[in-house]
Amino acid sequence: MKRFHSLEKRFLKEPELKPQYVEFMQEYEDLGHMHPVPPPAPEEQVYYIPHHAVFKPDSTTTKTRVVFDASAKTSTGISLNDVIFKGPVVQSDLFDIVLRFRMRPFAFIADITKMYRQILLEPSDRNLHRIFWRDDTSKPLQEYQLATVTYGTACASYLSTRTLNLLAELESTPDSPLYHSIHQHFYVDDLISGASTLEQAMELSHQLLTTLNKGCFELRKWMSNSPELLNSLPSNLLETSIVKPISDPDNGITKALGLLWNSNSDSLSICSNIDKISEKTSFTKREFLSVIASTFDPLGIISPIIILPKILFQSLWLAKIDWDDSLPNDMLLKWLQIIQELSKISSISIPRCVVSKDQCSIVELHGFSDSSATAYGACVYVRTIQNNVVQTHLLCGNHVLHLSSLSPFQIWNFVVP
């Protein structure tokens, strides 16, 4: 209740936030995802989940979202997340999903609308998902029960992914592309998939739409490197950025599991906000780490670049500098020099697909690794030969051991030192 009253005080300070928050919560109730309930009887076991707003300026749909905090401690010192089972991991690793994305000439991405909220909670569990809410301070405070899987609970990811996998098992066979795509091309609610031919890609995309609709999972925000595939889909389900004017620099660009994908040029680049903070002239150790962490590079594409600030950060530990202490002048000078180079990360791009649309006669993986006194690194290239034309593409960096585990050790060749 204290957290809710703090939220109402925030509404007074940020009046533009309140109508967006009210609209979000009203939709929650209108869709039957929560409903008002009376105060619990003394013998009932209940848990109240605090909630707050998160603003996502890069979202093309809902920019203000309500987040529920099931890690909030009760008067017993225990939260719902402390006692709830998280469930096992039943989805592919993010690195594996992105690698598969790079092996399909015809690619497409989409996401599931309100995925968690399409899955009903067992009625007997809903008292453990209570919240306080009112849209105006003049009204009495009302208690609500959340009726669906709730973002912010420890088990939400497992429950949603397991439900999606079960849908695949009920509606397809284990040897079908549809089954394979649902099980291995989803990262929670994000689909990142493709096929070897346009016909296969179009068939798979329509099968995914039809099958997921049977489970009330609507796939939206579709984007593809194939205009023909997009033209075959309902226009209201397409990503809004692809209908921007051709002159718009963001035309055809969207996030694909943390990477930026330009579907027009079919290239990948790194999402980073370093260029927005490169004008700062002083940093604490905490701010320094925040800048490093803001660059997400799941494939290790820019490992040789990002290793420089990581080495410098090691020296901060050796110098025993506290989190909120400013960097010494000598280290600050090195950091400012590095950050000028890091601001150019956004201009780096690589081809998304590492194989040609035609069947290659030879496909090889070539891995390299090296080390020094301060760091070690590795990279893997894909080398293809088609009609005597040789092409080589960087596949990933710093994941050689992971890649070697995906194929029999006996087929790998090694250069003798």
Side-chain angles (χ1 to χ4, degrees):
M1 194 177 290
K2 276 186 179 180
R3 292 272 293 269
F4 181 75
H5 288 315
S6 296
L7 176 66
E8 291 187 314
K9 291 178 182 178
R10 183 181 173 187
F11 288 157
L12 296 175
K13 296 178 182 178
E14 304 175 42
E16 72 283 355
L17 173 63
K18 182 177 178 178
Q20 300 176 55
Y21 206 100
V22 170
E23 180 183 2
F24 189 102
M25 297 299 283
Q26 187 61 51
E27 180 196 52
Y28 224 99
E29 185 173 5
D30 292 343
L31 293 175
H33 297 168
M34 73 177 190
H35 48 84
V37 290
E43 68 275 8
E44 287 185 283
Q45 189 176 46
V46 299
Y47 177 82
Y48 294 90
I49 306 179
H51 49 94
H52 60 275
V54 170
F55 187 66
K56 297 182 67 175
D58 57 343
S59 174
T60 57
T61 51
T62 307
K63 294 188 180 297
T64 299
R65 298 171 184 264
V66 175
V67 174
F68 299 92
D69 181 14
S71 293
K73 306 290 185 181
T74 70
S75 56
T76 64
I78 299 173
S79 71
L80 178 62
N81 281 346
D82 288 335
V83 298
I84 203 169
F85 282 116
K86 294 182 180 179
V89 176
V90 291
Q91 64 184 10
S92 293
D93 183 75
L94 185 144
F95 173 71
D96 295 343
I97 297 173
V98 177
L99 272 192
R100 295 188 190 104
F101 185 56
R102 300 197 66 194
M103 303 301 292
R104 303 290 186 266
F106 294 90
F108 53 83
I109 63 174
D111 69 40
I112 299 174
T113 306
K114 302 178 179 66
M115 181 182 186
Y116 291 176
R117 288 161 55 186
Q118 308 311 314
I119 306 167
L120 288 173
L121 284 175
E122 187 71 28
S124 59
D125 291 333
R126 294 178 188 176
N127 261 344
L128 297 176
H129 294 70
R130 287 202 175 206
I131 66 168
F132 291 109
W133 173 245
R134 62 183 172 189
D135 56 14
D136 194 279
T137 54
S138 63
K139 298 179 181 179
L141 199 56
Q142 176 68 55
E143 293 188 24
Y144 286 81
Q145 277 183 349
L146 303 181
T148 62
V149 170
T150 304
Y151 182 81
T153 55
C155 60
S157 178
Y158 165 74
L159 291 175
S160 58
T161 306
R162 181 67 189 93
T163 303
L164 186 64
N165 289 348
L166 179 60
L167 182 63
E169 293 160 14
L170 294 174
E171 299 293 334
S172 62
T173 58
D175 58 346
S176 67
L178 175 63
Y179 182 97
H180 176 79
S181 185
I182 293 177
H183 272 267
Q184 297 192 350
H185 295 173
F186 269 98
Y187 192 77
V188 192
D189 60 344
D190 289 317
L191 169 68
I192 174 168
S193 186
S196 299
T197 68
L198 176 58
E199 292 74 18
Q200 292 173 351
M202 292 179 69
E203 181 180 3
L204 178 59
S205 61
H206 288 89
Q207 286 180 345
L208 285 164
L209 265 178
T210 303
T211 302
L212 265 64
N213 278 338
K214 292 180 180 179
C216 295
F217 294 130
E218 181 187 64
L219 279 172
R220 59 166 187 175
K221 298 171 70 173
W222 285 83
M223 181 171 279
S224 174
N225 63 337
S226 168
E228 294 87 351
L229 187 149
L230 292 174
N231 290 335
S232 70
L233 299 170
S235 59
N236 63 303
L237 297 180
L238 303 184
E239 168 61 63
T240 55
S241 66
I242 66 176
V243 295
K244 292 180 179 179
I246 297 298
S247 58
D248 193 318
D250 293 331
N251 180 275
I253 298 178
T254 191
K255 282 187 177 180
L257 295 186
L259 292 169
L260 288 177
W261 179 37
N262 187 324
S263 60
N264 291 333
S265 61
D266 203 12
S267 60
L268 297 173
S269 54
I270 302 300
C271 183
S272 174
N273 63 353
I274 287 180
D275 55 335
K276 298 178 182 178
I277 57 176
S278 59
E279 299 301 320
K280 282 195 66 174
T281 56
S282 63
F283 287 86
T284 64
K285 178 180 173 182
R286 190 184 306 277
E287 292 171 330
F288 182 14
L289 180 59
S290 176
V291 173
I292 298 175
S294 69
T295 301
F296 183 62
D297 180 23
L299 291 177
I301 295 171
I302 57 169
S303 294
I305 301 173
I306 209 68
I307 193 63
L308 297 177
K310 288 182 177 180
I311 292 174
L312 182 58
F313 189 73
Q314 286 181 335
S315 64
L316 297 181
W317 284 103
L318 296 175
K320 298 182 179 179
I321 296 172
D322 289 334
W323 284 107
D324 295 310
D325 288 348
S326 297
L327 272 62
N329 287 336
D330 58 335
M331 293 184 178
L332 178 61
L333 181 60
K334 291 179 182 178
W335 173 230
L336 293 177
Q337 291 172 343
I338 291 173
I339 205 172
Q340 289 300 318
E341 296 299 319
L342 292 179
S343 63
K344 302 173 185 177
I345 285 175
S346 57
S347 63
I348 299 174
S349 66
I350 62 171
R352 177 199 59 82
C353 188
V354 295
V355 296
S356 68
K357 293 181 180 180
D358 300 320
Q359 188 67 33
C360 298
S361 58
I362 297 177
V363 180
E364 300 172 343
L365 290 179
H366 290 253
F368 304 89
S369 62
D370 200 1
S371 63
S372 68
T374 53
Y376 66 90
C379 59
V380 175
Y381 289 85
V382 174
R383 180 177 182 267
T384 62
I385 301 177
Q386 172 63 27
N387 296 329
N388 294 323
V389 177
V390 178
Q391 290 189 327
T392 304
H393 295 291
L394 174 65
L395 183 61
C396 64
N398 287 349
H399 287 282
V400 171
L401 290 178
H402 184 100
L403 272 175
S404 65
S405 67
L406 300 180
S407 56
F409 182 80
Q410 292 78 6
I411 71 171
W412 283 74
N413 297 312
F414 299 90
V415 177
V416 178

